[in-house]
Amino acid sequence: MSKLLKELHIQYVESLDKRQNEYEYWLSEHLRLNGVYWGLTALCIMDSRDTFGQESVVEFVMSCWDDRTGGFAPFPRHDAHLLSTLSGLQILVTYDSLGSLSEAQVEKCVQFIIGNQLEDGSFQGDRFGEVDSRFVYTAISSLSILGRLTPEVVNPAVQYILRCYNFDGGFSMIPGAESHAAQAFTCLGTLAIVGKIDALTPEQLEEIGWWLCERQIPEGGLNGRPSKLPDVCYSWWVLSSLAIIGKLNWIDYDKLRAFIYSSQDERKGGIADRPNNEVDVYHTVFGLAGLSLMGFDDLVPINPVYCMPESVVSKLKKYPYK
């Protein structure tokens, strides 16, 4: 396949919330708010944000507000989690609708986020205690969107992220675990938001660049770890990480673009993890985000740190706040 099927992808994303009579729709409640963020961001990248009705989307986001804890749940009446809280805030800020939250709700949300930080600087995703460097990123990104980062939160989080750096040039979900490309993004993204990329030495940045660019297999796709199959979603996790450290051109753009194109569904739209597999909105948005980072197909520029349009991120306050 030699081109991006943009119109088909727009139709595919638009159709996703019209499948409420399908079993799979109800099995994915636990990802619904994340899915709305993925779909909206995909539409934004294709310059088709208005395909979703802003009023109904914002109404759904606010229906996911968990007043017991102060975070956002993935679906009404579910428990709040840092992952869905970030998705809710990303949707609201994309629509310039953070004002939908009252001052009291903002304060409660901030307390929910910082209440999940542990003594070593890490974050648990919710009260059930799972720890992952993803949650450091989601917490720091959420507080950044709200303009409520403080040194008391940032400094221990940075120290924890630095402990997740591995000898091979990768990052892990917890200190000492296996390196993974998605963790490279969450760790580097955290450092970038708080202006601490320089906490890594030039030698470390070089090692990180090599580990990331070696994720490209000869056929063009990127994998998340050595000896794994390529997957379209790493078009985002790897490229965004390389962009953050100024080494985006360390991969073969043309080969990666061909891999993403070959993973499209020519009949109904959408992008799969790899050719001939079933498409989903997760791989669709991250395939499009990868193409945007590489400057292909006249797509709307995506910010490599926040995974939101540059036009949205440009309006956020920068840490440290003045």
Side-chain angles (χ1 to χ4, degrees), residues 7-8 75 114 134 152 170 199 214 239 249 274 321:
E7 291 306 316
L8 273 179
F75 197 78
I114 64 177
R134 287 181 303 160
E152 291 76 17
E214 288 173 351
L239 289 190
N249 63 346
R274 58 186 64 92
Y321 303 119

Side-chain angles (χ1 to χ4, degrees), residues 37 40-41 83 85-95 98 137 141 145 306-308 312:
Y37 156 70
L40 175 60
T41 303
L83 291 175
T85 295
L86 176 58
S87 289
L89 294 174
Q90 287 171 313
I91 295 166
L92 292 179
V93 76
T94 297
Y95 278 134
L98 277 178
Y137 172 81
S141 186
I145 289 170
Y306 287 91
C307 199
M308 295 188 293
V312 173

Side-chain angles (χ1 to χ4, degrees), residues 25 27 33 68 72 85 99 123 141 145 150-151 166 234 236 295 311:
Y25 181 91
L27 286 179
L33 192 54
R68 296 170 303 146
F72 285 95
T85 295
F123 282 82
S141 186
I145 289 170
T150 63
N166 283 332
Y234 296 110
W236 168 255
S311 59

Side-chain angles (χ1 to χ4, degrees), residues 45-115:
I45 293 170
M46 294 183 288
D47 198 20
S48 190
R49 191 187 78 165
D50 294 338
T51 299
F52 280 174
Q54 176 175 336
E55 185 175 341
S56 61
V57 171
V58 171
E59 182 180 351
F60 173 72
V61 172
M62 294 309 300
S63 75
C64 294
W65 171 258
D66 181 1
D67 199 54
R68 296 170 303 146
T69 61
F72 285 95
F75 197 78
R77 298 180 302 280
H78 285 227
D79 291 327
H81 194 282
L82 287 184
L83 291 175
S84 45
T85 295
L86 176 58
S87 289
L89 294 174
Q90 287 171 313
I91 295 166
L92 292 179
V93 76
T94 297
Y95 278 134
D96 197 21
S97 296
L98 277 178
S100 299
L101 292 169
S102 67
E103 290 185 12
Q105 286 175 315
V106 170
E107 185 59 38
K108 201 165 187 177
C109 189
V110 169
Q111 293 308 313
F112 168 71
I113 296 167
I114 64 177

Side-chain angles (χ1 to χ4, degrees), residues 266-277:
E266 298 180 72
R267 182 178 55 85
K268 66 180 181 182
I271 303 174
D273 57 348
R274 58 186 64 92
N276 303 313
N277 280 1

Side-chain angles (χ1 to χ4, degrees), residues 74-294:
F75 197 78
R77 298 180 302 280
H78 285 227
D79 291 327
H81 194 282
L82 287 184
L83 291 175
S84 45
T85 295
L86 176 58
S87 289
L89 294 174
Q90 287 171 313
I91 295 166
L92 292 179
V93 76
T94 297
Y95 278 134
D96 197 21
S97 296
L98 277 178
S100 299
L101 292 169
S102 67
E103 290 185 12
Q105 286 175 315
V106 170
E107 185 59 38
K108 201 165 187 177
C109 189
V110 169
Q111 293 308 313
F112 168 71
I113 296 167
I114 64 177
N116 280 298
Q117 187 169 31
L118 305 180
E119 289 185 4
D120 63 357
S122 66
F123 282 82
Q124 58 186 12
D126 57 17
R127 63 189 175 87
F128 295 106
E130 181 186 7
V131 174
D132 188 323
S133 55
R134 287 181 303 160
F135 307 149
V136 181
Y137 172 81
T138 50
I140 295 298
S141 186
S142 296
L143 291 172
S144 175
I145 289 170
L146 293 171
R148 297 293 296 273
L149 284 169
T150 63
E152 291 76 17
V153 173
V154 167
N155 292 340
V158 167
Q159 292 307 308
Y160 181 80
I161 289 296
L162 294 176
R163 290 175 56 215
C164 291
Y165 177 74
N166 283 332
F167 69 92
D168 59 1
F171 288 88
S172 57
M173 66 170 58
I174 58 173
E178 181 184 12
S179 294
H180 193 284
Q183 264 61 44
F185 165 75
T186 58
C187 292
L188 291 171
T190 298
L191 297 177
I193 288 171
V194 300
K196 292 291 187 180
I197 287 292
D198 61 0
L200 297 164
T201 67
E203 292 76 20
Q204 287 174 322
L205 292 173
E206 192 81 1
E207 290 173 346
I208 293 166
W210 278 112
W211 190 87
L212 289 166
C213 74
E214 288 173 351
R215 304 281 58 76
Q216 188 164 36
I217 68 168
E219 292 77 13
L222 303 169
N223 61 23
R225 295 172 288 166
S227 302
K228 295 294 184 178
L229 292 173
D231 186 320
V232 162
C233 73
Y234 296 110
S235 305
W236 168 255
W237 306 118
V238 172
L239 289 190
S240 59
S241 301
L242 286 168
I244 289 169
I245 62 173
K247 303 182 189 300
L248 184 57
N249 63 346
W250 280 28
I251 59 101
D252 188 317
Y253 283 13
D254 291 332
K255 283 189 173 183
L256 179 55
R257 174 172 59 174
F259 176 73
I260 297 171
Y261 282 179
S262 68
S263 301
Q264 300 177 105
D265 188 316
E266 298 180 72
R267 182 178 55 85
K268 66 180 181 182
I271 303 174
D273 57 348
R274 58 186 64 92
N276 303 313
N277 280 1
E278 184 64 28
V279 302
D280 58 68
V281 68
Y282 175 87
H283 290 92
T284 299
V285 65
F286 291 130
L288 292 168
L291 292 170
S292 173
L293 285 175
M294 292 186 288

